[in-house]
Amino acid sequence: MITEPVSDSVREISPGLSLRGIVPPLRLRDFKLIAFDMDSTLINIECVDEIADAAGRKAEVAAITEAAMRGEITDYKESLRQRVAMLKGVREEQLAQVYRARLRLNPGAAELVLACKAAGLKVLLVSGGFTYFSDRLRDRLALDFARSNKLEIVDGQLTGRILPQSWGDICDGAMKRETVLRTCSLIGCDPSQAIAMGDGANDLEMMDAVGLSVAYRAKPRVRERAKVAIDMGGLDRLLEVFGHA
């Protein structure tokens, strides 16, 4: 395994960047896949919360989202169904408004994606959020793969339901892990040659399955289990862990 821990000790290698049980520099080109969570990791918002704002229910939905991300709600699928049900009646143009006016790439996101692609890695976006946003980000950043949940839209309005897809019903933590492992198999990559980056409890299963787990401004439970924790600065601070070779 590329990142076999030498101990479980944590050390800060520079302000806001700490490592658990690994010694840099690693080589980025020794990895073959990087998997990103979307909401609050690759991008600055929780999309479901911002859509709920259009329905006048942001506080209610955001409270459930926060509890789910902290790991206080064990059934992610049911929590997402509850939140999506509250979005019934939101118009499709309001989704577009969230994308245009509220969604921003987190600092360093584009730079990290470019660096990974230049080093030969494939890039996967795997999210408990929605295809409306993940597909646009996939195209915008020229990502190799994307998987997330599909909102049902009828007559230009959300129905409050999530549509099943060929791979299953809802992309929760278990599906994130399965997606990362299947992508590894698809590209001929051992899971130890994969990186997974996230911030919430539903990212832990995929983070535990790979060689290098990265917590980005993450919930305490996630930060405590990641091999790399970025608490300040942008996503591209991950590159500080790697050498130039």
Side-chain angles (χ1 to χ4, degrees):
M1 188 173 182
I2 293 173
T3 56
E4 188 69 33
V6 294
S7 73
D8 199 39
S9 62
V10 179
R11 62 195 184 100
E12 189 173 67
I13 61 170
S14 60
L17 180 65
S18 56
L19 307 181
R20 182 185 301 274
I22 58 174
V23 177
L26 306 175
R27 297 193 309 175
L28 186 57
R29 71 180 185 184
D30 286 337
F31 292 86
K32 294 184 178 181
L33 175 71
I34 184 166
F36 290 98
D37 169 51
M38 182 172 69
D39 295 52
S40 298
T41 301
L42 193 68
I43 64 173
N44 64 321
I45 60 172
E46 294 285 337
C47 292
V48 67
D49 297 354
E50 301 307 315
I51 300 169
D53 197 20
R57 305 190 74 171
K58 183 173 182 178
E60 189 177 356
V61 169
I64 300 173
T65 300
E66 176 69 13
M69 292 304 99
R70 293 180 67 89
E72 296 163 4
I73 295 176
T74 55
D75 190 341
Y76 179 86
K77 288 187 177 184
E78 184 55 32
S79 81
L80 186 62
R81 289 190 186 101
Q82 289 175 2
R83 286 174 282 163
V84 170
M86 297 180 202
L87 307 180
K88 183 177 180 179
V90 171
R91 300 186 307 278
E92 188 170 4
E93 57 261 32
Q94 291 174 298
L95 300 183
Q97 178 69 10
V98 169
Y99 182 79
R100 289 194 306 266
R102 303 192 183 192
L103 185 152
R104 298 288 181 270
L105 294 175
N106 267 330
E111 291 83 354
L112 179 56
V113 167
L114 285 172
C116 288
K117 291 174 74 72
L121 282 73
K122 298 295 185 182
V123 184
L124 164 68
L125 179 58
V126 58
S127 172
F130 309 119
T131 56
Y132 187 92
F133 304 101
S134 64
D135 288 356
R136 284 163 172 77
L137 288 166
R138 178 197 61 203
D139 296 344
R140 177 175 168 183
L141 294 171
L143 308 181
D144 298 288
F145 310 99
R147 173 170 289 177
S148 61
N149 303 301
K150 189 170 186 178
L151 295 167
E152 184 178 53
I153 301 173
V154 176
D155 296 329
Q157 293 187 339
L158 300 189
T159 66
R161 292 189 293 269
I162 299 170
L163 290 172
Q165 299 180 73
S166 60
W167 46 263
D169 56 353
I170 289 177
C171 188
D172 61 353
M175 180 52 66
K176 285 191 174 194
R177 179 182 184 275
E178 182 178 334
T179 300
V180 169
L181 294 178
R182 286 190 177 188
T183 305
C184 285
S185 179
L186 179 67
I187 67 174
C189 163
D190 189 270
S192 68
Q193 298 171 295
I195 303 166
M197 179 177 282
D199 73 298
N202 63 328
D203 298 316
L204 284 171
E205 291 186 61
M206 73 169 179
M207 291 170 67
D208 287 345
V210 301
L212 189 66
S213 54
V214 184
Y216 180 70
R217 303 194 180 194
K219 305 303 181 188
R221 182 177 167 193
V222 180
R223 190 185 187 282
E224 288 164 5
R225 281 169 57 175
K227 292 181 179 177
V228 179
I230 302 171
D231 300 317
M232 296 169 53
L235 290 160
D236 56 343
R237 292 206 67 194
L238 178 60
L239 298 174
E240 296 176 35
V241 178
F242 299 103
H244 298 292

